[in-house]
Amino acid sequence: MLELNPGSELLGRYVIDRVIGVGGYGAVWKALDKQLNRTVALKRLLKSGAARDEQAQKAMLEEAKKNALVVHPNVVQVYDIIQVDDEHLIVMEYVDGDSLHAHLRELALSSRSVSLEQAVDWLREILEGVAYAHGQRVCHRDLSPMNILLSTGGVPKISDFGIARIIPSKDVAVTPSPPASSQGGTGNPDYMAPEQARGEAADFLSDLFMIGICGYLLLTGRHPFAHPSGLFAIPELLKDESYQPPQPPPPAGLAISDQRRFREYAAVVMRLLGRERANRYQNAQEAIDALDRVIPSVDCPSCGEHVPEHDRFCRHCGVTLAPVPGPAAQEPATVVSGAVSAEELADEGYRLVQAKRWQQAIDAYSKAIQADPNYRKAYWNLGYVYNRIGNPDAAIQILDKGLDLPPSGRDYRAGMFYERSIALASLKRYERALADINESVRLNPDSARSLYFRARISLLQGDLDAALRDARDVLRIVPDHSAALRIIDQISKGSTG
């Protein structure tokens, strides 16, 4: 039988440090990956329940391998699955912080709460991680504050895809999951969606309900199904179709403007908590868009991060924000006789992007290209929109056409290479993505966002030296670029074990 002890070594590669967590599915150990010189977490799978059956265990491990495809800043990455002495361990990203559950408990014990801005930021980032996982057809089924880790930099990361399920496309038959009671724990009973509590199969909308519980906790510090009388158990009220959590009132002491914002954010959370699937947002992006409509937001022109449009400085990289004409600068456009010009159509597309009216923006940019097939700004911005709504194939197709045009203006080509690199990376085509971002950097060597994205790709490919070099170049341009600092910190901690 495999024994793990501090200082022991697995496969000549992983040096065990200490236990950092114990749960129903096994223990998690901190370890050093000697080959890549980085700190990792090793999760040991228990031989119990479904794992007793060899076929079920194989299916579980296959799903874990598919979970490794979920590479996103707000998801704990699965690096590998190893087998030692007939036991399987999952090699994962090591997150150097507590769980959201531990953080909320600490605040509650001292009668403190998460600030409104922090609560919404974390809720949005959790939704972004789930949106990406769902885009890879991965349904978590066990989202709770215990399975959301907070890095020391304050970045939430969704962990524990141990019971995740791969949901095929709609044209593929789906075999319903057995009832929760027969599966040995398909989720935490205090955080299950109502359909899970009834023994039905969990799906993407079940994940959204669980995020709704987390969002309620972030806004109020209370579980929405914890009755104030203390006379009811949480699972009891989750199953009670007549019970609906009260919409939380704004905390005392909030400014009037913040009270309005709180109510609007609370309304988003309450919709996530709809008892019936049809009453919830139908995907995570809809919930993200609803949060963004409370305070309109823009993408920082330096680091590309999402920030409220009224902010004077980017909260991620510190750069001074100023009004910008759009993802691309102005370019002379041909006016079609008797029709609206391509430039006017592109400007309308930009206004629609700011309002998050994505399909109408796509229509406007497409009409701009029809009005002037050589109008490069429209190709660039249309590729940007397709990336924002999670359609990388469409982004690549339109950017291919834009880049096939005769070269005219370094900024336009640099921007199109940048957007195509993002699309390729989202499809895990890292070699092509790296080639495109290299070209974008060549055309615009002082672009902090291009250098930062190249650092991220290098990090994903395990080229730590290249990632470190680009992150430092980003700091040369934007000294307080927090995302670049996080990359350097991550590499540094990995190198020190």
Side-chain angles (χ1 to χ4, degrees):
M1 180 178 177
L2 175 63
E3 291 188 9
L4 299 182
N5 298 297
S8 61
E9 190 169 312
L10 303 181
L11 305 179
R13 176 172 178 176
Y14 300 102
V15 180
I16 303 300
D17 183 351
R18 57 187 172 87
V19 174
I20 55 176
V22 179
Y25 289 89
V28 180
W29 293 72
K30 181 181 179 182
L32 172 66
D33 180 350
K34 295 198 305 180
Q35 183 172 319
L36 295 179
N37 202 21
R38 67 181 175 188
T39 303
V40 298
L42 296 178
K43 182 176 181 180
R44 185 178 188 179
L45 304 179
L46 291 181
K47 290 188 174 183
S48 61
R52 290 197 187 100
D53 182 83
E54 185 176 346
Q55 185 176 358
Q57 184 179 7
K58 181 179 179 182
M60 179 177 63
L61 293 174
E62 284 301 315
E63 288 189 359
K65 292 176 183 178
K66 292 178 182 179
N67 292 343
L69 297 175
V70 186
V71 181
H72 187 275
N74 299 117
V75 174
V76 176
Q77 187 178 350
V78 174
Y79 296 137
D80 198 2
I81 298 172
I82 61 174
Q83 183 172 353
V84 183
D85 296 342
D86 295 326
E87 288 198 40
H88 292 90
L89 298 95
I90 300 177
V91 185
M92 304 182 298
E93 173 187 0
Y94 172 70
V95 181
D96 54 345
D98 289 330
S99 67
L100 178 59
H101 178 257
H103 181 71
L104 291 174
R105 280 173 58 91
E106 181 180 352
L107 292 177
L109 287 173
S110 57
S111 300
R112 293 179 294 148
S113 60
V114 180
S115 70
L116 180 59
E117 290 75 16
Q118 184 68 85
V120 174
D121 282 350
W122 281 346
L123 177 58
R124 192 184 190 285
E125 289 184 90
I126 293 165
L127 282 164
E128 286 186 341
V130 168
Y132 188 85
H134 288 181
Q136 306 300 310
R137 312 304 301 169
V138 177
C139 177
H140 192 288
R141 304 198 298 170
D142 190 21
L143 287 163
S144 74
M146 286 74 83
N147 292 335
I148 298 170
L149 305 180
L150 297 175
S151 73
T152 53
V155 179
K157 289 178 175 284
I158 302 166
S159 69
D160 204 351
F161 281 81
I163 64 167
R165 183 182 180 209
I166 308 301
I167 296 185
S169 301
K170 291 183 179 180
D171 58 342
V172 179
V174 179
T175 302
S177 296
S181 60
S182 69
Q183 286 188 293
T186 56
N188 186 319
D190 286 348
Y191 291 88
M192 283 185 177
E195 58 271 16
Q196 279 180 294
R198 293 192 298 265
E200 299 173 14
D203 59 14
F204 297 141
L205 299 185
S206 306
D207 279 355
L208 295 189
F209 186 92
M210 292 177 244
I211 295 176
I213 296 179
C214 295
Y216 199 102
L217 272 163
L218 283 167
L219 287 178
T220 68
R222 304 190 313 275
H223 193 295
F225 291 89
H227 198 276
S229 70
L231 297 175
F232 303 87
I234 289 175
E236 182 182 357
L237 293 182
L238 278 169
K239 294 178 182 178
D240 186 349
E241 295 184 3
S242 66
Y243 181 80
Q244 186 64 31
Q247 177 144 343
L254 275 185
I256 293 177
S257 60
D258 287 337
Q259 291 180 24
R260 177 193 62 78
R261 290 170 52 216
F262 182 95
R263 291 189 183 94
E264 292 186 36
Y265 288 133
V268 174
V269 169
M270 294 306 292
R271 184 168 175 186
L272 287 167
L273 288 172
R275 277 201 169 272
E276 301 302 323
R277 289 177 171 96
N279 294 334
R280 302 170 202 160
Y281 295 105
Q282 294 305 292
N283 56 65
Q285 187 60 50
E286 284 188 9
I288 293 170
D289 291 343
L291 290 176
D292 289 347
R293 281 193 293 272
V294 177
I295 296 182
S297 51
V298 297
D299 292 312
C300 172
S302 175
C303 68
E305 293 285 350
H306 207 68
V307 293
E309 68 176 7
H310 62 70
D311 281 5
R312 294 180 58 196
F313 302 94
C314 175
R315 64 181 65 181
H316 299 279
C317 69
V319 72
T320 301
L321 299 174
V324 292
Q330 295 294 330
E331 175 187 351
T334 302
V335 177
V336 180
S337 179
V340 180
S341 72
E343 183 176 5
E344 290 171 317
L345 287 165
D347 287 343
E348 175 63 15
Y350 172 70
R351 287 190 289 272
L352 292 166
V353 166
Q354 295 302 100
K356 305 294 186 287
R357 294 159 65 181
W358 303 113
Q359 187 55 54
Q360 290 171 280
I362 289 171
D363 293 341
Y365 288 134
S366 298
K367 289 177 181 177
I369 292 172
Q370 292 174 3
D372 182 1
N374 292 313
Y375 191 38
R376 294 163 183 80
K377 174 184 174 181
Y379 291 96
W380 179 0
N381 290 5
L382 184 51
Y384 165 87
V385 172
Y386 280 131
N387 275 333
R388 288 288 293 156
I389 65 174
N391 191 344
D393 291 314
I396 292 169
Q397 185 177 12
I398 197 66
L399 292 164
D400 282 347
K401 293 179 181 179
L403 288 166
D404 282 343
L405 296 173
S408 176
R410 296 167 66 91
D411 288 344
Y412 303 123
R413 290 186 67 78
M416 285 190 279
F417 276 120
Y418 173 80
E419 291 296 338
R420 194 170 70 177
S421 178
I422 290 176
L424 289 165
S426 72
L427 295 172
K428 309 297 185 296
R429 302 175 188 171
Y430 294 125
E431 290 188 8
R432 284 194 59 196
L434 185 59
D436 271 8
I437 200 64
N438 282 340
E439 188 63 16
S440 179
V441 172
R442 185 187 70 80
L443 292 167
N444 189 358
D446 291 324
S447 170
R449 70 174 186 174
S450 293
L451 287 165
Y452 169 66
F453 192 66
R454 187 167 71 176
R456 285 180 57 188
I457 294 176
S458 296
L459 198 61
L460 290 172
Q461 291 189 308
D463 191 343
L464 303 186
D465 289 338
L468 188 61
R469 184 167 55 250
D470 279 334
R472 286 171 174 165
D473 281 343
V474 171
L475 296 177
R476 174 179 52 81
I477 301 167
V478 184
D480 295 325
H481 196 294
S482 61
L485 287 168
R486 284 198 298 270
I487 287 180
I488 293 173
D489 184 60
Q490 180 180 347
I491 294 173
S492 174
K493 288 184 176 179
S495 66
T496 59

